[in-house]
Amino acid sequence: MAKLSVLGSINVDHLMQVGAAPKGGQTIQAKQYQIVAGGKGANQAVAAAKLGADVAMIACIGTDAIGEQMKHGLADIGIDTKGITTVAGENTGVAMIYVEDSGENRIGIWPGANAFLTETVMLEHKAAIQDSDLLLLQLETPVATLVAAAKIAKAAGTRVVLNPAPAKALPESLLRHVDIITPNETEAEQLTGVAIRELSDADIAANKLHSQFGIKTVLITLGERGVWLSHKGEGKHIAGFVMKAIDTTAAGDTFNGGFVTGLLEGQSMLDSVRFGQAAAALSVTRMGAQSSIPTRVETLALLA
Protein backbone atom coordinates (compact mmCIF):
# COMPACT_ATOMS: atom_id res chain seq x y z
CA MET A 1 0.00 0.00 0.00
CA ALA A 2 1.21 3.52 -0.82
CA LYS A 3 2.32 5.48 2.26
CA LEU A 4 1.45 8.95 3.53
CA SER A 5 3.46 11.07 5.96
CA VAL A 6 1.70 13.97 7.67
CA LEU A 7 3.91 16.61 9.30
CA GLY A 8 1.84 18.95 11.40
CA SER A 9 0.01 20.00 14.54
CA ILE A 10 -1.76 18.20 17.35
CA ASN A 11 -4.19 20.32 19.40
CA VAL A 12 -6.71 19.88 22.16
CA ASP A 13 -9.91 21.55 20.93
CA HIS A 14 -12.21 23.27 23.44
CA LEU A 15 -15.47 23.51 21.52
CA MET A 16 -18.45 25.71 22.46
CA GLN A 17 -21.69 25.63 20.50
CA VAL A 18 -23.31 29.08 20.59
CA GLY A 19 -26.07 30.98 18.81
CA ALA A 20 -23.52 33.59 17.75
CA ALA A 21 -19.99 34.35 18.93
CA PRO A 22 -19.82 36.97 21.71
CA LYS A 23 -19.17 40.61 20.81
CA GLY A 24 -16.61 42.72 22.67
CA GLY A 25 -17.51 42.98 26.36
CA GLN A 26 -20.36 40.48 25.99
CA THR A 27 -20.77 37.26 27.99
CA ILE A 28 -22.95 34.50 26.55
CA GLN A 29 -23.94 31.03 27.66
CA ALA A 30 -22.99 28.14 25.41
CA LYS A 31 -25.49 25.47 24.38
CA GLN A 32 -22.87 22.73 24.49
CA TYR A 33 -19.21 22.28 25.46
CA GLN A 34 -16.81 19.51 24.42
CA ILE A 35 -13.10 18.76 24.65
CA VAL A 36 -12.07 16.92 21.49
CA ALA A 37 -8.92 15.97 19.60
CA GLY A 38 -7.88 18.41 16.89
CA GLY A 39 -5.01 20.23 15.18
CA LYS A 40 -4.84 20.53 11.40
CA GLY A 41 -2.08 17.96 11.06
CA ALA A 42 -3.77 15.39 13.29
CA ASN A 43 -7.17 16.05 11.69
CA GLN A 44 -5.79 15.39 8.22
CA ALA A 45 -3.91 12.29 9.38
CA VAL A 46 -7.06 10.92 11.04
CA ALA A 47 -9.16 11.67 7.96
CA ALA A 48 -6.72 9.84 5.69
CA ALA A 49 -6.48 6.87 8.07
CA LYS A 50 -10.26 6.57 8.52
CA LEU A 51 -10.69 6.79 4.75
CA GLY A 52 -8.21 3.98 4.07
CA ALA A 53 -4.66 5.39 3.87
CA ASP A 54 -1.47 4.03 5.48
CA VAL A 55 -0.43 7.06 7.58
CA ALA A 56 2.62 8.06 9.65
CA MET A 57 2.51 11.28 11.70
CA ILE A 58 5.42 13.60 12.55
CA ALA A 59 4.38 15.99 15.33
CA CYS A 60 4.96 17.20 18.90
CA ILE A 61 2.86 16.90 22.07
CA GLY A 62 3.43 18.23 25.58
CA THR A 63 4.11 16.31 28.76
CA ASP A 64 0.49 16.69 29.85
CA ALA A 65 -1.77 13.66 30.17
CA ILE A 66 -4.10 14.75 27.37
CA GLY A 67 -1.22 14.85 24.86
CA GLU A 68 -0.38 11.22 25.63
CA GLN A 69 -4.07 10.34 25.47
CA MET A 70 -4.33 11.90 22.01
CA LYS A 71 -1.24 10.04 20.82
CA HIS A 72 -2.81 6.76 21.91
CA GLY A 73 -6.01 7.77 20.13
CA LEU A 74 -4.11 8.25 16.87
CA ALA A 75 -2.45 4.86 17.28
CA ASP A 76 -5.84 3.23 17.90
CA ILE A 77 -7.00 4.52 14.50
CA GLY A 78 -3.99 2.83 12.91
CA ILE A 79 -1.65 5.82 12.50
CA ASP A 80 2.07 5.19 12.96
CA THR A 81 2.94 7.44 15.93
CA LYS A 82 6.69 6.77 16.18
CA GLY A 83 7.27 10.27 14.76
CA ILE A 84 5.38 12.01 17.60
CA THR A 85 7.83 13.66 20.03
CA THR A 86 7.00 14.62 23.62
CA VAL A 87 8.43 18.06 24.46
CA ALA A 88 9.55 18.34 28.09
CA GLY A 89 8.00 21.19 30.09
CA GLU A 90 5.48 22.15 27.41
CA ASN A 91 1.74 21.76 27.04
CA THR A 92 0.06 20.20 24.04
CA GLY A 93 -1.33 22.81 21.61
CA VAL A 94 -4.78 24.26 22.33
CA ALA A 95 -7.59 25.60 20.13
CA MET A 96 -10.59 27.53 21.50
CA ILE A 97 -13.52 27.21 19.09
CA TYR A 98 -16.90 28.91 18.96
CA VAL A 99 -19.32 27.09 16.64
CA GLU A 100 -22.30 29.30 15.70
CA ASP A 101 -25.80 28.09 14.79
CA SER A 102 -24.98 28.88 11.15
CA GLY A 103 -22.24 26.22 11.25
CA GLU A 104 -19.52 28.86 10.94
CA ASN A 105 -16.71 28.84 13.48
CA ARG A 106 -14.25 31.25 15.13
CA ILE A 107 -10.98 29.77 16.34
CA GLY A 108 -8.05 30.93 18.48
CA ILE A 109 -4.93 28.77 18.76
CA TRP A 110 -2.10 28.45 21.28
CA PRO A 111 0.68 26.42 19.56
CA GLY A 112 2.23 24.95 22.71
CA ALA A 113 4.37 21.93 21.80
CA ASN A 114 3.63 22.44 18.08
CA ALA A 115 6.09 25.37 18.11
CA PHE A 116 8.85 22.88 18.99
CA LEU A 117 8.52 20.82 15.81
CA THR A 118 11.92 22.10 14.70
CA GLU A 119 14.07 21.00 11.80
CA THR A 120 16.21 19.03 14.27
CA VAL A 121 13.17 17.12 15.55
CA MET A 122 11.91 16.52 12.00
CA LEU A 123 15.30 15.15 10.89
CA GLU A 124 15.00 12.36 13.46
CA HIS A 125 12.15 11.06 11.29
CA LYS A 126 13.67 11.84 7.90
CA ALA A 127 13.38 8.20 6.81
CA ALA A 128 9.60 8.26 7.23
CA ILE A 129 9.38 11.12 4.72
CA GLN A 130 11.78 9.47 2.30
CA ASP A 131 9.88 6.17 2.46
CA SER A 132 6.51 7.82 1.81
CA ASP A 133 4.80 8.28 -1.51
CA LEU A 134 3.32 11.59 -0.39
CA LEU A 135 4.05 14.23 2.29
CA LEU A 136 1.13 16.36 3.52
CA LEU A 137 1.87 19.73 5.20
CA GLN A 138 -0.12 22.57 6.84
CA LEU A 139 0.87 25.82 8.62
CA GLU A 140 0.36 25.28 12.37
CA THR A 141 4.02 24.31 12.89
CA PRO A 142 7.25 26.27 12.14
CA VAL A 143 7.57 27.14 8.46
CA ALA A 144 11.36 26.58 8.45
CA THR A 145 10.69 22.93 9.30
CA LEU A 146 8.21 22.65 6.45
CA VAL A 147 10.80 24.00 4.00
CA ALA A 148 13.39 21.45 5.17
CA ALA A 149 10.88 18.59 5.04
CA ALA A 150 9.68 19.55 1.55
CA LYS A 151 13.26 19.60 0.27
CA ILE A 152 13.89 16.11 1.71
CA ALA A 153 10.68 14.85 0.12
CA LYS A 154 11.48 16.28 -3.31
CA ALA A 155 14.98 14.79 -3.24
CA ALA A 156 13.47 11.37 -2.42
CA GLY A 157 10.79 11.53 -5.12
CA THR A 158 8.02 11.96 -2.53
CA ARG A 159 5.17 14.19 -3.74
CA VAL A 160 4.52 17.26 -1.56
CA VAL A 161 0.97 18.47 -0.89
CA LEU A 162 0.62 21.76 1.00
CA ASN A 163 -2.61 22.89 2.61
CA PRO A 164 -1.61 26.54 3.27
CA ALA A 165 -3.79 26.97 6.35
CA PRO A 166 -4.18 29.02 8.46
CA ALA A 167 -3.51 31.76 5.90
CA LYS A 168 -0.13 33.49 6.10
CA ALA A 169 2.61 34.75 3.82
CA LEU A 170 4.96 31.96 2.74
CA PRO A 171 8.55 31.93 1.46
CA GLU A 172 9.29 30.99 -2.11
CA SER A 173 11.69 28.36 -0.72
CA LEU A 174 8.65 26.39 0.44
CA LEU A 175 6.29 27.03 -2.47
CA ARG A 176 8.88 25.99 -5.07
CA HIS A 177 9.06 22.51 -3.50
CA VAL A 178 5.28 21.95 -3.57
CA ASP A 179 3.65 19.68 -6.16
CA ILE A 180 0.02 20.26 -5.16
CA ILE A 181 -1.43 23.17 -3.15
CA THR A 182 -4.94 23.26 -1.64
CA PRO A 183 -5.85 26.78 -0.41
CA ASN A 184 -9.34 28.01 0.33
CA GLU A 185 -10.44 31.40 -1.04
CA THR A 186 -8.88 33.41 1.82
CA GLU A 187 -5.58 31.53 1.61
CA ALA A 188 -5.45 31.81 -2.18
CA GLU A 189 -5.90 35.58 -1.89
CA GLN A 190 -3.13 35.76 0.74
CA LEU A 191 -0.73 33.96 -1.63
CA THR A 192 -1.67 35.67 -4.89
CA GLY A 193 -3.36 38.99 -4.06
CA VAL A 194 -6.39 37.92 -6.10
CA ALA A 195 -9.76 38.26 -4.32
CA ILE A 196 -11.86 35.27 -5.34
CA ARG A 197 -15.45 36.27 -5.99
CA GLU A 198 -16.11 34.44 -9.26
CA LEU A 199 -14.77 31.21 -10.75
CA SER A 200 -12.77 33.34 -13.20
CA ASP A 201 -10.93 34.82 -10.20
CA ALA A 202 -10.04 31.33 -9.01
CA ASP A 203 -8.61 30.61 -12.45
CA ILE A 204 -6.46 33.77 -12.31
CA ALA A 205 -5.20 32.93 -8.81
CA ALA A 206 -4.40 29.34 -9.80
CA ASN A 207 -2.42 30.49 -12.83
CA LYS A 208 -0.40 32.86 -10.65
CA LEU A 209 0.57 29.92 -8.42
CA HIS A 210 1.52 27.91 -11.50
CA SER A 211 3.59 30.65 -13.11
CA GLN A 212 5.24 32.23 -10.05
CA PHE A 213 6.18 29.09 -8.13
CA GLY A 214 6.00 26.23 -10.61
CA ILE A 215 3.27 24.42 -8.65
CA LYS A 216 1.80 21.87 -11.05
CA THR A 217 -1.60 21.34 -9.45
CA VAL A 218 -3.76 23.92 -7.64
CA LEU A 219 -7.01 23.10 -5.85
CA ILE A 220 -8.88 26.13 -4.53
CA THR A 221 -11.68 25.05 -2.21
CA LEU A 222 -14.74 27.29 -2.50
CA GLY A 223 -17.01 26.05 0.30
CA GLU A 224 -20.49 25.29 -0.98
CA ARG A 225 -19.41 26.26 -4.48
CA GLY A 226 -17.10 23.25 -4.71
CA VAL A 227 -13.48 23.23 -5.91
CA TRP A 228 -11.52 24.92 -8.67
CA LEU A 229 -9.01 22.36 -9.98
CA SER A 230 -6.18 23.61 -12.18
CA HIS A 231 -3.45 21.33 -13.51
CA LYS A 232 -0.62 23.01 -15.45
CA GLY A 233 -2.93 25.88 -16.35
CA GLU A 234 -5.96 23.81 -17.38
CA GLY A 235 -8.76 24.82 -15.00
CA LYS A 236 -12.03 23.07 -14.16
CA HIS A 237 -14.87 23.68 -11.69
CA ILE A 238 -15.98 20.67 -9.65
CA ALA A 239 -19.33 21.21 -7.93
CA GLY A 240 -19.65 20.15 -4.30
CA PHE A 241 -22.33 18.33 -2.30
CA VAL A 242 -25.21 20.29 -0.77
CA MET A 243 -25.56 19.45 2.94
CA LYS A 244 -27.07 21.20 5.98
CA ALA A 245 -24.01 22.34 7.94
CA ILE A 246 -24.00 21.91 11.71
CA ASP A 247 -20.27 22.52 12.27
CA THR A 248 -17.68 23.30 9.58
CA THR A 249 -14.70 22.64 11.91
CA ALA A 250 -12.19 20.34 10.14
CA ALA A 251 -14.16 20.23 6.88
CA GLY A 252 -11.09 21.44 4.98
CA ASP A 253 -8.89 18.97 6.85
CA THR A 254 -11.26 16.13 5.99
CA PHE A 255 -11.20 17.19 2.34
CA ASN A 256 -7.40 17.15 2.30
CA GLY A 257 -7.23 13.76 4.00
CA GLY A 258 -9.72 12.28 1.56
CA PHE A 259 -8.11 13.89 -1.47
CA VAL A 260 -4.62 12.54 -0.74
CA THR A 261 -6.07 9.11 0.08
CA GLY A 262 -7.59 9.03 -3.38
CA LEU A 263 -4.25 9.98 -4.94
CA LEU A 264 -2.41 7.28 -2.99
CA GLU A 265 -4.91 4.70 -4.24
CA GLY A 266 -4.19 5.69 -7.83
CA GLN A 267 -7.53 7.45 -8.40
CA SER A 268 -7.62 10.21 -11.01
CA MET A 269 -7.22 13.79 -9.84
CA LEU A 270 -10.95 14.40 -10.43
CA ASP A 271 -12.03 11.27 -8.55
CA SER A 272 -9.66 12.10 -5.69
CA VAL A 273 -11.24 15.55 -5.39
CA ARG A 274 -14.73 14.04 -5.38
CA PHE A 275 -13.71 11.53 -2.69
CA GLY A 276 -12.39 14.38 -0.55
CA GLN A 277 -15.53 16.46 -1.19
CA ALA A 278 -17.82 13.61 -0.14
CA ALA A 279 -15.92 13.06 3.11
CA ALA A 280 -15.92 16.81 3.87
CA ALA A 281 -19.64 17.09 3.10
CA LEU A 282 -20.44 14.38 5.64
CA SER A 283 -18.14 15.98 8.24
CA VAL A 284 -20.08 19.27 8.34
CA THR A 285 -23.25 17.41 9.39
CA ARG A 286 -21.61 16.50 12.74
CA MET A 287 -20.02 18.36 15.64
CA GLY A 288 -16.28 18.44 16.32
CA ALA A 289 -13.06 17.99 14.41
CA GLN A 290 -11.83 14.38 14.32
CA SER A 291 -15.12 13.24 15.83
CA SER A 292 -16.94 14.45 12.70
CA ILE A 293 -14.78 12.62 10.15
CA PRO A 294 -16.72 9.87 8.30
CA THR A 295 -15.58 6.34 7.57
CA ARG A 296 -14.60 5.09 4.14
CA VAL A 297 -17.85 3.10 3.88
CA GLU A 298 -19.96 6.20 4.61
CA THR A 299 -18.02 8.27 2.09
CA LEU A 300 -18.32 5.70 -0.69
CA ALA A 301 -22.06 5.43 0.02
CA LEU A 302 -22.49 9.18 -0.60
CA LEU A 303 -20.57 8.89 -3.87
CA ALA A 304 -22.60 5.89 -5.06
Side-chain angles (χ1 to χ4, degrees):
M1 182 188 286
K3 292 185 176 180
L4 169 68
S5 282
V6 179
L7 187 152
S9 57
I10 295 177
N11 287 334
V12 183
D13 288 357
H14 294 263
L15 191 70
M16 279 195 189
Q17 192 170 6
V18 297
K23 301 185 173 101
Q26 181 186 23
T27 299
I28 59 171
Q29 183 167 316
K31 301 177 180 181
Q32 187 179 354
Y33 170 69
Q34 291 175 280
I35 299 175
V36 295
K40 297 196 76 64
N43 293 346
Q44 292 180 17
V46 167
K50 288 182 75 170
L51 294 167
D54 181 359
V55 185
M57 176 119 204
I58 301 170
C60 289
I61 56 173
T63 48
D64 42 17
I66 199 161
E68 197 61 34
Q69 180 183 327
M70 291 169 72
K71 180 179 175 180
H72 286 306
L74 295 173
D76 288 344
I77 294 168
I79 294 170
D80 181 347
T81 60
K82 290 193 291 292
I84 297 179
T85 300
T86 301
V87 182
E90 290 298 327
N91 289 322
T92 300
V94 173
M96 310 298 288
I97 305 173
Y98 286 112
V99 180
E100 300 180 337
D101 282 346
S102 65
E104 287 297 314
N105 55 52
R106 296 167 188 259
I107 304 174
I109 291 174
W110 168 249
N114 293 313
F116 293 83
L117 183 51
T118 62
E119 184 175 346
T120 302
V121 171
M122 179 274 296
L123 287 172
E124 294 174 10
H125 311 290
K126 180 179 178 180
I129 295 172
Q130 294 170 321
D131 293 343
S132 295
D133 297 272
L134 193 148
L135 172 66
L136 178 57
L137 306 171
Q138 324 77 31
L139 303 180
E140 288 182 345
T141 53
V143 171
T145 307
L146 305 183
V147 174
K151 288 179 178 177
I152 288 167
K154 291 291 281 186
T158 299
R159 276 195 291 181
V160 178
V161 178
L162 173 64
N163 175 224
K168 64 175 70 173
L170 291 174
E172 192 168 322
S173 55
L174 174 59
L175 294 169
R176 288 213 167 271
H177 289 88
V178 170
D179 297 294
I180 302 170
I181 194 165
T182 63
N184 64 17
E185 295 144 293
T186 302
E187 294 147 8
E189 182 176 357
Q190 168 75 57
L191 293 170
T192 66
V194 178
I196 298 173
R197 299 182 181 89
E198 309 291 339
L199 293 178
S200 57
D201 299 324
D203 189 38
I204 293 166
N207 280 308
K208 276 200 165 190
L209 291 167
H210 291 314
S211 62
Q212 289 183 3
F213 307 112
I215 300 172
K216 290 178 185 174
T217 305
V218 178
L219 278 72
I220 301 177
T221 57
L222 305 167
E224 292 179 349
R225 291 189 291 170
V227 170
W228 183 263
L229 167 63
S230 182
H231 182 66
K232 295 182 179 178
E234 293 292 323
K236 179 175 184 176
H237 176 237
I238 305 169
F241 294 83
V242 179
M243 312 291 273
K244 178 168 175 51
I246 293 174
D247 178 9
T248 59
T249 305
D253 295 333
T254 302
F255 169 78
N256 278 275
F259 167 67
V260 298
T261 299
L263 291 181
L264 290 166
E265 291 175 352
Q267 295 184 36
S268 69
M269 191 68 69
L270 176 59
D271 286 344
S272 297
V273 170
R274 291 293 288 163
F275 188 60
Q277 284 179 313
L282 289 168
S283 78
V284 304
T285 65
R286 307 164 183 177
M287 287 292 291
Q290 292 166 28
S291 55
S292 72
I293 296 168
T295 64
R296 179 179 180 85
V297 171
E298 290 173 315
T299 302
L300 290 173
L302 182 59
L303 284 165

